[in-house]
């Protein structure tokens, strides 16, 4: 699973911050991805559209 992205890379792909992606996890808007052996979230390519979709739907200035 070495080709999976970190939360920082996934957030950049979505046009959001790491804090925003974590907030989406807490709200249940984005499923938490699998973690690697070091405990870091690792996003597979199939999981990347969801954070971007939530960010797009929320729109600028949203609390989501």
């Amino acid at each position: 699973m070495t080709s999976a992205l970190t939360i920082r890379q996934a957030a950049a792909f979505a046009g959001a911050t790491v804090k925003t992606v974590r907030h989406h996890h807490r709200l249940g808007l984005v499923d938490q991805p699998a973690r690697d052996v070091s405990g870091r979230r690792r996003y597979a390519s199939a999981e990347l559209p969801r954070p971007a979709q939530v960010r797009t739907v929320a729109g600028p200035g949203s609390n989501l």
Side-chain angles (χ1 to χ4, degrees):
M1 195 194 247
T2 57
S3 64
L5 301 177
T6 64
I7 191 169
R8 183 175 309 280
Q9 293 166 322
F13 176 83
T17 64
V18 171
K19 186 176 178 179
T20 299
V21 174
R22 288 183 178 142
H23 181 66
H24 292 168
H25 288 309
R26 283 191 300 276
L27 293 177
L29 298 173
V30 177
D31 292 334
Q32 292 226 14
R35 293 180 182 256
D36 64 11
V37 293
S38 67
R40 294 183 177 155
R41 294 174 182 94
R42 293 293 178 166
Y43 292 80
S45 59
E47 296 169 315
L48 288 177
R50 183 63 183 161
Q53 180 185 29
V54 170
R55 184 68 189 136
T56 301
V57 170
S62 173
N63 289 337
L64 294 179

